[in-house]
Amino acid sequence: ELGQRLRPVIIEALHLFKDNGHLKIRDDQGGPLTFVIEDKERPDLAYYRNNIVHFFIKDAVLATAVAASGSDDADSYETIERSALMGHCRVLSEILKYEFAFASTASFDEAFEQSMQTFFDMGWLKHSSERQVVRPETPAAGAEFLRALLLPSIESYWLTAWCVEDLLKKPMDKKEYVRHCFKRGRQMYLKDDLIYYESLSKPTFQTALTMLIQQGIVELNDDDHLHISETCLAQRGWRTIADSLASLKLTSF
């Protein structure tokens, strides 16, 4: 079994993190070991995660899309429309392309089909019809692992988009806006409105802001201050992105 073969490697990694002060291991008198990670250590651990995400990015995008594509109808809850699944993947790939290195050797459609085949091979999805697939009742641990790789970044991007509305109250330059996102995020985390402490990442806020500028949500005026574009202001486009990301970060498989 893969889990047993990886056990020595995982144990060694945990002890290395312990020796570096990133986590604490508690032994409750012969009971199961308990691993404790303090909030202040989570950004350092996220560094290791971010170094491997690129290897799993297209499958992680699909795992995230699967979690967000189920129907609310109890009779068809496990059935997913391929078009909806592809739509979620396309939106998420477009949003995160400034954050992660997607392979340039395959088109979006090719990458999507490759990931779908991986999920079929692993039993994480099953064929239903030409237009539909079925996900299992119980979340697949492998798919959940892949989805978890993206959730802190999705939350960072959601927060960056959510804060756009604050530009209506006060003009800010890029650095000030990133600091503002961090401050608002910290307040929200203390109120349990954010899930991941490591989502309070200034570099990620900067990349998310680049995405918002490239998508025409915000613009820089002549004195390098950010403002909401006229088109976005009329359509409240930042809400569309924020709502899309909220559905991806909050939905459970």
Side-chain angles (χ1 to χ4, degrees):
E1 184 183 345
L2 179 60
Q4 289 300 318
R5 292 199 298 271
L6 291 176
R7 181 180 175 86
V9 179
I10 293 173
I11 291 176
E12 181 181 1
L14 288 171
H15 281 283
L16 285 173
F17 288 141
K18 174 180 177 294
D19 293 342
N20 290 332
H22 293 321
L23 64 80
K24 298 176 181 178
I25 302 178
R26 294 177 181 170
D27 188 351
D28 298 328
Q29 300 295 326
L33 295 177
T34 302
F35 302 97
V36 180
I37 302 174
E38 296 181 3
D39 282 348
K40 66 178 182 176
E41 301 296 336
R42 297 185 70 90
D44 285 340
L45 289 172
Y47 168 80
Y48 297 100
R49 182 200 66 228
N50 291 341
N51 279 332
I52 68 169
V53 172
H54 302 282
F55 295 102
F56 304 101
I57 184 63
K58 63 185 180 66
D59 293 339
V61 165
L62 178 57
T64 306
V66 168
S69 300
S71 168
D72 292 330
D73 183 346
D75 293 333
S76 61
Y77 180 71
E78 298 165 15
T79 300
I80 302 174
E81 296 288 336
R82 286 180 66 104
S83 59
L85 200 54
M86 181 176 279
H88 278 302
C89 286
R90 192 181 297 277
V91 169
L92 189 55
S93 297
E94 184 66 22
I95 289 174
L96 295 180
K97 70 180 182 181
Y98 303 99
E99 187 72 25
F100 301 109
F102 289 84
S104 59
T105 55
S107 67
F108 170 81
D109 289 354
E110 290 171 335
F112 176 78
E113 292 301 331
Q114 289 169 3
S115 290
M116 288 288 286
Q117 189 58 53
T118 297
F119 275 51
F120 290 140
D121 293 343
M122 297 296 295
W124 299 342
L125 288 175
K126 296 184 183 300
H127 289 281
S128 175
S129 67
E130 184 177 339
R131 296 183 178 181
Q132 295 178 324
V133 296
V134 177
R135 63 183 183 184
E137 294 181 16
T138 303
E144 283 290 87
F145 164 77
L146 290 169
R147 188 170 74 95
L149 291 174
L150 289 188
L151 291 179
S153 297
I154 290 174
E155 189 165 72
S156 294
Y157 272 59
W158 168 80
L159 177 59
T160 310
W162 184 80
C163 285
V164 165
E165 193 160 343
D166 293 337
L167 292 173
L168 294 173
K169 307 171 187 175
K170 177 187 175 183
M172 291 177 254
D173 62 25
K174 288 183 178 181
K175 290 184 178 179
E176 188 178 4
Y177 187 76
V178 168
R179 291 196 298 268
H180 176 72
C181 290
F182 188 88
K183 180 179 178 181
R184 291 297 300 271
R186 189 172 179 82
Q187 293 170 344
M188 294 173 71
Y189 181 78
L190 293 174
K191 295 179 181 179
D192 294 327
D193 291 331
L194 287 185
I195 302 171
Y196 304 99
Y197 185 81
E198 60 269 35
S199 70
L200 302 177
S201 167
K202 289 182 179 179
T204 307
F205 294 151
Q206 291 169 349
T207 312
L209 180 56
T210 297
M211 177 273 296
L212 293 172
I213 293 173
Q214 292 297 321
Q215 293 208 3
I217 302 298
V218 294
E219 298 174 339
L220 288 169
N221 59 22
D222 293 337
D223 61 356
D224 286 334
H225 280 71
L226 297 162
H227 67 95
I228 303 173
S229 67
E230 292 186 9
T231 301
C232 179
L233 188 59
Q235 301 175 352
R236 303 183 76 80
W238 71 90
R239 288 283 185 87
T240 300
I241 291 181
D243 289 347
S244 295
L245 291 168
S247 69
L248 292 170
K249 82 183 185 73
L250 296 176
T251 304
S252 297
F253 191 127

